[in-house]
Amino acid sequence: MNVQISRKKNRNRNIGRNENKKKKRIMDNKYIFGLLIIGTAFVVFGAIWGPEQLSKYRDRYTLNKIQSEMVEGNGEGYRYSLNSNEKLYILSKCLTNQVLPESEASALTKVQTDMDYGNLTGNYAFVVNHQEPSDKEITEEQIYERCNEELAKMHTLAILPEEVRNVTSATHSAVLYSAIDVLEPRNNLSVWKISLRTGQQNANKEGCLLDVYIDADTGLVYEFYVRTAGSTWVDIDSDNMVEQWSEYLGLTGQGEYEDTNPLLETTSNYKKYKFAGVDNGNTVVTVGFYEGINELFLKISR
């Protein structure tokens, strides 16, 4: 009898426990469901209210207020850094395709280069830059002094004869040009061309700088024509001259030039060199001398 009563009590306890578990499970499910409902409501509310409030918050700090931002002028943002070999190559191509060598011996064959950007033809263009130099470029007021500084450096390096005189705004003119790779306009550089003024053509030209192309950013000299005081081609060490000039510009990749065609030159006194350019191209550099008028030149235009 006692055994039956004990079993009945145990059975009642198990039934009570199971009912408690079911009630707890139901309460947990209701709690989770309630959290899901609340979370969903917050998400929907945030999706509707959030963007509008964020927009109002941003407008509070932007509308009806002047915003300032530093930007580069004169199209500088369209330029990127080129190394010395790339600059030399692009300028060489531009000079070769747009203008002829600037010497007295070829003065009668000069062409006009004051072109508009809308009329560019060919793969390379050398055009007058009608805009003012940027704050990173040498200005017209500074270019003569900078040119004289570079002449002094080249005297020291034995690139130029010591008798070459300084330039001034009274004796020379300066024009800013843009050398542009038309197919890839980001490949461009600005150069100053300093030339002997027309009114000085009958003056004594001994030791006179006739033409020079100078990088408008760095002030380095790419090409020049000068009148010597009495030197001859025998006196000129062209190998050392080009070696010093290439170090002065920071050029690399010098190689032997073998395809010399004397019929393409206007003087018999010259020697050619080449430097690595862009996309497996080469820049041809010529050192030459015109007997009689004692004109020495280093040119990168062919």
Side-chain angles (χ1 to χ4, degrees):
M1 184 70 177
N2 292 331
V3 172
Q4 291 177 353
I5 294 172
S6 176
R7 288 178 178 174
K8 186 175 182 179
K9 288 181 178 179
N10 289 336
R11 188 165 49 251
N12 291 335
R13 286 195 196 99
N14 291 334
I15 292 172
R17 287 182 188 143
N18 291 335
E19 289 179 353
N20 290 335
K21 287 181 180 180
K22 288 180 180 179
K23 290 180 180 179
K24 185 178 180 181
R25 191 179 301 114
I26 292 171
M27 291 298 294
D28 290 343
N29 291 338
K30 288 182 178 180
Y31 179 72
I32 294 172
F33 182 74
L35 289 178
L36 290 175
I37 293 296
I38 294 172
T40 302
F42 271 113
V43 170
V44 173
F45 178 76
I48 296 174
W49 178 83
E52 182 179 356
Q53 294 301 314
L54 181 61
S55 177
K56 290 180 179 180
Y57 177 79
R58 288 180 176 176
D59 291 346
R60 188 186 311 166
Y61 292 95
T62 57
L63 294 180
N64 299 322
K65 292 186 178 180
I66 298 175
Q67 305 292 327
S68 62
E69 181 180 357
M70 294 297 295
V71 297
E72 296 183 341
N74 292 338
E76 285 184 336
Y78 201 48
R79 299 175 60 194
Y80 67 96
S81 179
L82 299 169
N83 63 38
S84 297
N85 285 67
E86 291 171 335
K87 285 185 173 183
L88 191 74
Y89 180 82
I90 292 170
L91 180 57
S92 170
K93 287 294 186 180
C94 290
L95 293 177
T96 299
N97 286 276
Q98 297 297 326
V99 295
L100 297 173
E102 299 297 326
S103 69
E104 282 196 43
S106 61
L108 296 178
T109 61
K110 289 183 181 179
V111 296
Q112 180 65 30
T113 59
D114 294 353
M115 300 172 61
D116 295 327
Y117 285 94
N119 297 322
L120 298 184
T121 59
N123 294 337
Y124 295 90
F126 191 65
V127 295
V128 174
N129 187 339
H130 296 287
Q131 297 178 331
E132 292 294 328
S134 70
D135 56 359
K136 296 181 181 179
E137 295 175 338
I138 303 169
T139 65
E140 187 172 359
E141 292 74 20
Q142 299 169 333
I143 188 59
Y144 297 102
E145 181 179 356
R146 186 56 183 271
C147 179
N148 291 330
E149 292 175 358
E150 298 305 315
L151 292 179
K153 289 180 185 178
M154 292 192 290
H155 292 161
T156 304
L157 297 172
I159 301 172
L160 281 176
E162 293 184 0
E163 65 264 24
V164 177
R165 304 189 302 269
N166 287 344
V167 300
T168 66
S169 58
T171 59
H172 290 73
S173 61
V175 180
L176 183 63
Y177 286 87
S178 292
I180 307 168
D181 180 349
V182 177
L183 299 181
E184 188 61 51
R186 291 179 301 171
N187 293 341
N188 71 87
L189 67 152
S190 295
V191 293
W192 281 102
K193 179 186 176 184
I194 298 180
S195 303
L196 185 67
R197 288 187 180 277
T198 305
Q200 300 291 320
Q201 294 298 327
N202 295 324
N204 181 15
K205 296 189 180 64
E206 284 191 3
C208 183
L209 178 70
L210 303 178
D211 288 295
V212 64
Y213 290 96
I214 299 178
D215 192 302
D217 292 324
T218 64
L220 299 177
V221 173
Y222 292 117
E223 178 173 309
F224 61 81
Y225 289 79
V226 298
R227 184 68 62 83
T228 66
S231 302
T232 64
W233 178 242
V234 178
D235 301 323
I236 298 170
D237 185 351
S238 61
D239 291 341
N240 180 69
M241 181 177 170
V242 170
E243 180 181 354
Q244 294 297 325
W245 174 77
S246 64
E247 291 182 6
Y248 160 80
L249 285 179
L251 300 175
T252 59
Q254 181 176 350
E256 295 291 332
Y257 186 84
E258 300 175 351
D259 300 328
T260 301
N261 184 353
L263 298 178
L264 297 178
E265 300 299 324
T266 54
T267 176
S268 58
N269 302 315
Y270 69 91
K271 189 170 182 180
K272 289 182 176 289
Y273 307 82
K274 71 175 181 179
F275 291 87
V278 178
D279 296 332
N280 298 321
N282 294 306
T283 303
V284 177
V285 177
T286 307
V287 175
F289 189 82
Y290 291 109
E291 297 283 1
I293 59 175
N294 295 336
E295 185 176 318
L296 171 68
F297 63 86
L298 184 153
K299 68 176 182 177
I300 59 176
S301 54
R302 299 190 184 185

